[in-house]
Amino acid sequence: MAIRRVRNKKTLGPIIIMMIISVVIMVLSFILSKIGIQATLTEAGTSENTIVTVNNIFSRKGIQYIFGNAVSNFQNMEPLAYIAISLIAVSILEASGLLKHLFGFLKGLKPSFVTFLVLFISIVSTLFLDYGYTILLPLVAILYKTLNREPKLGIMTVFIGITAGYGAGFLYNYQDVVLGNLTEASAVGLITNYSFDRWSMVFITTLSSLVLSIVGTFAIEKYLTKKVKKVEDNELIVSTKALQVTGIVFAVLLLLTIYSIIPGLPFSGLLLAPNSSGYMNKLFSSTSPFREGFLVLFVVFSLICGYVYGKISRNIKNSREYNSAISLVFKGTGFIFAGLFFASIMLGILEWTNISTVLSLKIVNLFSNVKMTGIFLIVLMFIVFTIITILNPSTVANWTLVSPIFVPLAIRANISPSFAQMIFKAADSIGKCLTPFYIYLIVMLGFLYKYDTDGEELELFGTMKKIMPVIIWMSIAWIIIIVGWNLSGLAMGIQTYTTL
């Protein structure tokens, strides 16, 4: 009788990996600072240059930074507050039975079509910047559990959709406006009367949303989908009357919210930034009450609608059960907050040392005088932008570094500045999927831990490896879209083309 030996594979958890990466960055900062590595930063729209050097973390200031800013860096991490607020909303929606009722309508759909819907909604959610992660990750996990599918599959699908599709979407978002301002500044003096049009990419981003959803669905169903596990029913009551009343309450709340973001009507525009120009600036600028209060609105909607549905359906019988329901979904989320703490230390060290900035500038300056044109230059730009995002996943910071070099380079090759920005957005999306420095990768891992019921040893790089086949397909799709659009000569937006 053959005896099968099972060898336990020793793995390092995500927190240990982040600690190791932090130490590696610290050692690199010491070596590179002693060598004297530096790079030149060109300011967009000016001829001013700034020398950027690597800071040694083992210096007096470096040690003081680590211990003096560890807590403040953790406090300042946006996902920390976003997730806590979002979980409050999702918890009451689940406990009331409202999500079970709504998601129940999807039980007759094919699993592949559900995957497509999740991917498509995830990509479109980029209109609301990073809020999509904090809302959709817990919601889709519950959706998949309701449909008797593996919640971890839904969590990875949301992450892939939002991250790889960050450069797509049906409408431009506030980040496009910020990037466009940098693009415009980098094109000054090279193109007469050039100004960035906010609708300059609407055609290509709309088609990209559909193509990426289709390609992503194929890849996820082929490489990620496992045998569906049966999930026990939580025995919540489903009530048609409760849903009807809740629908009326939701409609009233939605109309009030819409009125508060419409400018120019009596007592309207309450949630818009008063001193900003352009509607997207009024809606999503850093001073906009809507941007700051979007998750608060989500919580208000959830608390009211959840209470109405739960009370009528009798899933929530009294105030004690209501209070308990608000915190129900927090169970098992400890890793999210622990992971964010160690990630804040790692990212803080990376930023303070300037390693990613100096290396990115070195790469950019290496290709500043390249003589390529056409498809070869487009693919080169895509690769360079992807590498830079792997080093530092901050979209605006990276375009600030590279636009003064690559926008003029694109113009000299007859590539429009808007198309250069589109190439950057596509590459930035893929780069975020490939870097351990992207904070929402840690958030995704936290939700995977929450829904891990089979004792799987989750790893940082192991999880990245698991989704890698899908990311490769998405990368190929992005390159085909970018290159194909350039070859077709079609308008990429309203009166905007890939060439000058």
Side-chain angles (χ1 to χ4, degrees), residues 438-475:
Y438 191 43
I439 191 64
Y440 285 102
L441 173 65
I442 308 302
V443 173
M444 178 190 71
L445 278 170
F447 279 103
L448 291 178
Y449 266 99
K450 173 179 169 57
Y451 288 96
D452 180 36
T453 57
D454 51 11
E456 180 183 2
E457 187 67 35
L458 296 170
E459 302 175 79
L460 182 65
F461 292 112
T463 303
M464 293 175 68
K465 181 181 178 181
K466 184 177 295 185
I467 65 174
M468 189 58 63
V470 183
I471 302 306
I472 291 174
W473 276 96
M474 300 287 261
S475 303

Side-chain angles (χ1 to χ4, degrees), residues 70-349:
V71 175
S72 60
N73 285 345
F74 179 54
Q75 291 174 330
N76 293 331
M77 297 202 77
E78 288 186 341
L80 182 65
Y82 291 170
I83 292 167
I85 295 172
S86 178
L87 285 176
I88 293 172
V90 173
S91 186
I92 189 64
L93 290 175
E94 181 181 17
S96 68
L98 180 57
L99 289 182
K100 178 181 179 181
H101 196 154
L102 294 174
F103 292 157
F105 293 116
L106 302 177
K107 282 192 172 182
L109 299 178
K110 288 185 176 181
S112 58
F113 187 68
V114 173
T115 301
F116 173 82
L117 281 179
V118 171
L119 277 175
F120 184 73
I121 293 172
S122 299
I123 293 172
V124 173
S125 75
T126 56
L127 171 66
F128 301 102
L129 303 175
D130 293 342
Y131 290 141
Y133 288 108
T134 53
I135 293 175
L136 290 180
L137 283 171
L139 277 180
V140 171
I142 296 171
L143 167 65
Y144 273 54
K145 188 169 68 171
T146 303
L147 300 180
N148 294 337
R149 300 190 73 186
E150 173 60 75
K152 291 189 289 186
L153 175 63
I155 291 167
M156 288 187 284
T157 301
V158 169
F159 176 80
I160 292 169
I162 298 178
T163 311
Y166 215 88
F170 278 107
L171 297 172
Y172 70 88
N173 56 34
Y174 179 67
Q175 190 174 80
D176 290 324
V177 177
V178 176
L179 297 180
N181 292 335
L182 292 169
T183 303
E184 188 173 318
S186 299
V188 168
L190 298 173
I191 301 179
T192 305
N193 299 325
Y194 172 77
S195 61
F196 177 77
D197 188 338
R198 296 170 183 178
W199 298 100
S200 61
M201 305 176 192
V202 64
F203 300 153
I204 190 172
T205 54
T206 298
L207 183 67
S208 299
S209 301
L210 294 170
V211 172
L212 291 171
S213 298
I214 294 170
V215 171
T217 298
F218 163 78
I220 287 172
E221 292 297 316
K222 181 177 177 62
Y223 296 104
L224 285 183
T225 302
K226 296 180 180 179
K227 186 176 180 180
V228 177
K229 294 192 297 185
K230 182 69 176 178
V231 180
E232 293 184 5
D233 195 344
N234 51 19
E235 298 182 354
L236 291 172
I237 301 170
V238 173
S239 169
T240 302
K241 179 182 177 182
L243 184 63
Q244 291 172 344
V245 177
T246 304
I248 295 172
V249 173
F250 175 79
V252 173
L253 293 173
L254 183 61
L255 288 174
L256 290 173
T257 303
I258 292 174
Y259 195 80
S260 70
I261 60 174
I262 296 177
L265 298 178
F267 305 107
S268 70
L270 183 65
L271 297 181
L272 298 177
N275 299 321
S276 298
S277 60
Y279 184 71
M280 273 312 213
N281 288 343
K282 290 180 179 292
L283 198 61
F284 287 113
S285 69
S286 58
T287 59
S288 168
F290 179 78
R291 175 175 176 172
E292 289 298 307
F294 180 80
L295 282 178
V296 177
L297 287 171
F298 180 50
V299 171
V300 171
F301 273 55
S302 301
L303 291 177
I304 295 175
C305 293
Y307 176 80
V308 171
Y309 187 93
K311 194 70 174 177
I312 296 175
S313 66
R314 302 294 295 166
N315 288 318
I316 297 177
K317 299 180 180 63
N318 51 51
S319 60
R320 182 177 180 179
E321 290 186 0
Y322 182 75
N323 291 330
S324 299
I326 291 176
S327 60
L328 182 66
V329 84
F330 279 88
K331 182 180 179 181
T333 59
F335 176 84
I336 298 177
F337 301 101
L340 286 176
F341 174 69
F342 287 96
S344 68
I345 295 175
M346 177 181 69
L347 297 178
I349 294 173

